[in-house]
Amino acid sequence: DVVEECGLFRLLGHRAAITDIAFVFLDNGAFDALITSSVDGLVKIWDLSAQCCVETIPSHRGKVWSLTFMKDNLSPASTQTREKNSMLL
């Protein structure tokens, strides 16, 4: 709930503003993971069932502004920085 600033749980890990969020959906339409990019240069993969970060990809040199996925919506393909540098994950 954005107005009340409350939710089911809070995921802590990024050191700066989050710039993009993507849910990873299962075949049944439910989602069980979240992938985020941030101004801190990190891409994080979150396990929503365990409510924790399961992987951090720190290999960006600058701010990460967006995420792009393969057609299956399960494989992150690349991320992009403001300088238009892309990185295959």
Side-chain angles (χ1 to χ4, degrees):
D1 184 348
V2 177
V3 175
E4 296 294 325
E5 294 184 11
C6 64
L8 298 176
F9 52 87
R10 185 176 296 224
L11 300 171
L12 302 174
H14 282 291
R15 294 172 285 170
I18 293 173
T19 56
D20 202 1
I21 297 173
F23 288 98
V24 177
F25 290 91
L26 301 174
D27 289 337
N28 65 3
F31 57 85
D32 70 337
L34 183 73
I35 302 177
T36 57
S37 62
S38 172
V39 173
D40 62 12
L42 301 175
V43 173
K44 290 186 172 278
I45 301 174
W46 305 87
D47 180 334
L48 296 179
S49 298
Q51 301 177 15
C52 66
C53 177
V54 293
E55 187 170 352
T56 298
I57 304 167
S59 50
H60 292 84
R61 293 185 185 151
K63 301 171 183 175
V64 182
W65 294 101
S66 64
L67 300 165
T68 303
F69 291 83
M70 301 299 282
K71 197 171 190 174
D72 64 6
N73 196 29
L74 296 174
S75 308
S78 66
T79 60
Q80 189 163 10
T81 63
R82 177 165 276 173
E83 295 78 23
K84 303 299 181 202
N85 299 325
S86 293
M87 177 182 172
L88 191 61
L89 301 178

